[in-house]
Amino acid sequence: MEIEAPHVVKNAKPGQFIMVHPDETSERIPLTICERDVKNGTITIIFQVVGTATSRLNLLNAGDTIQNILGPLGHPTEIKNYGRAICIAGGVGIAEILPVAKALKEAGNFVLSIIGARDKGLLILKDEMEKASSRLLVATDDGSLGRKGFVTELLYGELKKDKYEMIFCVGPIPMMKKTTEVAKANNTNIKVSLNSNMVDATGMCGTCRISVGGKTYFTCVDGPEFDGALVDFDELASRGRRFVEEEKISLEEFKKIHVCKNKIPKKE
Ligand SMILES: Cc1cc2nc3c(=O)[nH]c(=O)nc-3n(C[C@H](O)[C@H](O)[C@H](O)COP(=O)(O)OP(=O)(O)OC[C@H]3O[C@@H](n4cnc5c(N)ncnc54)[C@H](O)[C@@H]3O)c2cc1C
Ligand code: FES
């Protein structure tokens, strides 16, 4: 979705996100700024329809108005010449890693990107990632594209062959946890972009609280990127499950109202 937002475009950097408030009665949700077009004053977001807020966004048509967006938020990714860097992402995390891979390559890095999804149909932005990277590897759980298996298996093989200075990782929590284990086992630095639940995104409500190296941080103002080796992924996962029942009820209610609009997400 391309959004006209000249105030955001001016300052947005790779790794940052916006809070999107789809309509007056909806929740506000964090979404990564995937691309920006300074000339036209637009930013692009790419989102997976998983619950009520993303379903509401998905009902919008070209030319419609979003209630409001807030951003850019969070610390930008530290882009510099690391030498050799890996960008690894799963599912919709590929949308979040794309601007990072692009910026790293522009900064002179050799960028190996490893992307994966459950199947070929769910693998997004392959061509864009190919362009943004020096080399691209693909994995799908069912083997319908690239290697059959997980991105972490590809990563393991690459780290055994070559030395990399830094890994940037975005994806589902179990994937980030496993990727971090592989990085640690191979003495490679890793930064993970965390997808905590958020409410205000200004560091006041505490919803996005996480533990990193035994200390408390807020993903919205201190992140979203952290040193993967220090993140308490189990706590992140358990805090992410806090509102599952409410999310389910909310989506059921939403479906009752919008049942004829033919854009309702399929829940797994
Ligand atoms: C900094 C940041 C950047 C993000 N960027 C993107 C992006 O570019 N594209 C994108 O599709 N999503 C992104 N997300 C995740 C996105 O914010 C959630 O998917 C969204 O809030 C879900 O809202 P909902 O009301 O539609 O679903 P909910 O009803 O809130 O949730 C539905 C289901 O999705 C799961 N879920 C909820 N929130 C998250 C989350 N934060 N991460 C993972 N699973 C979640 C729930 O456990 C539940 O199973 C980002 C999250 C953060 C913190
Ligand atoms: S979302 Fe409220 S403190 Fe981060």
Side-chain angles (χ1 to χ4, degrees):
M1 187 178 278
E2 202 178 345
I3 307 171
E4 200 182 321
H7 60 298
V8 177
V9 175
K10 268 191 284 179
N11 303 313
K13 298 208 169 60
Q16 289 188 297
F17 66 96
I18 52 172
M19 284 303 274
V20 184
H21 190 191
D23 60 45
E24 198 176 7
T25 58
S26 138
E27 273 187 320
R28 298 157 78 243
I29 53 164
L31 293 170
T32 302
I33 302 164
C34 187
E35 277 180 32
R36 63 189 193 119
D37 182 335
V38 181
K39 204 166 133 230
N40 290 321
T42 60
I43 53 168
T44 301
I45 52 170
I46 296 180
F47 58 93
Q48 186 171 16
V49 179
V50 290
T52 312
T54 45
S55 300
R56 281 172 187 267
L57 260 189
N58 197 36
L59 287 176
L60 296 175
N61 295 306
D64 284 351
T65 302
I66 288 175
Q67 180 73 17
N68 59 64
I69 62 171
L70 173 70
L73 297 167
H75 292 286
T77 303
E78 193 184 350
I79 302 294
K80 62 177 188 183
N81 196 333
Y82 294 92
R84 296 168 65 81
I86 295 181
C87 288
I88 181 165
V92 77
I94 301 169
E96 300 173 52
I97 210 90
L98 176 63
V100 175
K102 260 190 206 164
L104 285 170
K105 199 174 164 203
E106 275 166 26
N109 291 281
F110 175 88
V111 180
L112 167 66
S113 293
I114 307 177
I115 57 172
R118 278 206 307 275
D119 61 45
K120 188 179 166 183
L122 289 172
L123 192 98
I124 58 169
L125 301 169
K126 181 175 168 284
D127 293 346
E128 289 81 353
M129 282 301 295
E130 202 142 34
K131 259 193 229 152
S133 317
S134 314
R135 186 169 161 234
L136 177 72
L137 298 175
V138 174
T140 48
D141 296 5
D142 66 353
S144 51
L145 192 71
R147 183 192 160 124
K148 184 176 189 310
F150 300 127
V151 283
T152 43
E153 292 159 17
L154 286 172
L155 175 70
Y156 187 82
E158 292 303 313
L159 290 181
K160 285 280 160 239
K161 279 192 292 194
D162 284 311
K163 174 89 186 129
Y164 288 85
E165 298 310 316
M166 182 60 82
I167 299 172
F168 294 88
C169 171
V170 193
I173 295 167
M175 174 266 184
M176 291 196 284
K177 185 178 175 186
K178 182 72 196 164
T179 304
T180 298
E181 283 166 13
V182 173
K184 271 164 99 172
N186 288 279
N187 295 319
T188 311
N189 297 317
I190 176 161
K191 287 196 179 154
V192 290
S193 182
L194 303 184
N195 46 13
S196 320
N197 287 351
M198 290 185 187
V199 176
D200 69 323
T202 61
M204 288 192 283
C205 70
T207 304
C208 67
R209 173 169 63 77
I210 47 146
S211 299
V212 181
K215 289 191 185 149
T216 297
Y217 291 92
F218 296 141
T219 305
C220 64
V221 288
D222 300 318
E225 269 179 18
F226 293 93
D227 180 347
L230 301 177
V231 170
D232 184 341
F233 286 105
D234 296 335
E235 183 194 57
L236 178 72
S238 90
R239 285 182 61 76
R241 287 191 294 268
R242 280 171 303 159
F243 304 113
V244 168
E245 272 315 301
E246 289 83 353
E247 287 162 355
K248 220 166 103 188
I249 295 165
S250 165
L251 188 63
E252 289 310 315
E253 291 301 312
F254 178 83
K255 280 183 180 175
K256 278 186 208 158
I257 300 166
H258 294 280
V259 79
C260 26
K261 292 230 178 169
N262 199 25
K263 275 190 170 180
I264 302 306
K266 290 188 183 76
K267 287 288 278 182
E268 282 167 17

